[in-house]
Amino acid sequence: MRRALFAACVVALFAGAPALDRSEAFIGYSERTPTPARTCLVMKTRVGDVVVQLRDDLSPNTTSYFRAFAKRQGAKCAGCAFHRAENIPPEGAIDIYGGPGPPYALVQGRLGDSARDDLRKESAPLVERGDVCVVGGGPDFFIATTGHHEWGGGHTVFGKVTERDMAIVEEITKLPKLAQVWGETHVTALATKLHFTLEIADADARGSGLTDTGPRASMLRGNG
């Protein structure tokens, strides 16, 4: 009788205890999924560093590609350059597509040698200031200097430049530019391409988070 009573008490005691995993039994071992480190893509130019917080939550395949490209080509990054810089359009400016512009409030760059041009479209929310987006399937990308809701969900968003780091992007828009026409769209290209190299850095340590075939396609194309 005493043994049965004791066994019942033991069962009752452990029934109310929290479930344990094997992590409690081994020092240095854990069954818990670690939180992945946040990383950023740093585009280093003579003007300063453009720091892009990579948005794995939105476009994990695209961010993985940019990480791999930076690790493989970043130190030299032959052919990597910003080649277009557009100011924010004056109020009331309307282009032939019915939206604001020109100019088009962005800085456009291109990955260099061996960069892919067939990236699949991923998450494409409305573009906000600081968003970094793929042009078509690459190798071009752009950084928005104001919101572009008029473009709908046309572009994969894979990164974000925080407001603190947008100062370098704004400096790029002040460099000498040349007026050009891409298709039917008037654009402003940099008079001299701005070369960049790439590196991957820990975001926390730095203190920091359209398929191009429609009528607007020529807005983001060019010979770079």
Side-chain angles (χ1 to χ4, degrees):
M1 182 68 179
R2 289 181 185 176
R3 290 181 180 177
L5 182 60
F6 176 74
C9 290
V10 170
V11 170
L13 176 64
F14 282 95
L20 300 178
D21 64 34
R22 284 171 291 181
S23 304
E24 310 300 335
F26 301 97
I27 296 175
Y29 172 82
S30 177
E31 291 186 338
R32 302 181 182 93
T33 301
T35 301
R38 296 191 307 135
T39 55
C40 53
L41 181 70
V42 184
M43 302 177 181
K44 305 181 75 68
T45 79
R46 62 176 176 80
V47 175
D49 293 353
V50 177
V51 181
V52 179
Q53 309 295 321
L54 292 173
R55 295 293 308 271
D56 297 307
D57 56 320
L58 289 179
S59 303
N61 294 326
T62 306
T63 57
S64 292
Y65 169 70
F66 272 83
R67 280 193 189 89
F69 188 91
K71 291 176 180 178
R72 186 176 68 251
Q73 304 278 11
K76 293 184 178 179
C77 217
C80 296
F82 291 103
H83 58 86
R84 177 187 180 190
E86 304 265 355
N87 296 327
I88 295 175
E91 187 175 354
I94 301 295
D95 64 11
I96 61 174
Y97 309 105
Y104 292 104
L106 58 83
V107 168
Q108 185 170 338
R110 177 175 294 176
L111 295 184
D113 297 350
S114 78
R116 289 175 56 184
D117 62 1
D118 61 348
L119 296 175
R120 299 190 67 171
K121 186 178 178 182
E122 290 192 90
S123 184
L126 296 180
V127 176
E128 304 290 354
R129 173 176 165 86
D131 282 348
V132 189
C133 311
V134 180
V135 178
D140 278 41
F141 62 90
F142 69 88
I143 304 169
T145 59
T146 193
H148 285 292
H149 293 188
E150 72 276 10
W151 294 348
H155 302 280
T156 294
V157 176
F158 71 93
K160 184 78 172 184
V161 178
T162 66
E163 195 57 41
R164 184 191 69 176
D165 293 318
M166 281 296 288
I168 300 301
V169 179
E170 300 286 3
E171 287 300 312
I172 295 174
T173 67
K174 298 175 184 177
L175 296 174
K177 296 184 283 287
L178 300 173
Q180 296 182 351
V181 180
W182 297 357
E184 298 180 7
T185 304
H186 292 265
V187 305
T188 51
L190 290 175
T192 302
K193 295 177 185 178
L194 180 63
H195 176 69
F196 62 80
T197 58
L198 294 170
E199 67 179 37
I200 297 295
D202 183 275
D204 296 317
R206 292 190 66 98
S208 326
L210 157 82
T211 302
D212 199 19
T213 57
R216 288 178 170 272
S218 64
M219 293 174 58
L220 293 166
R221 288 198 180 122
N223 57 21

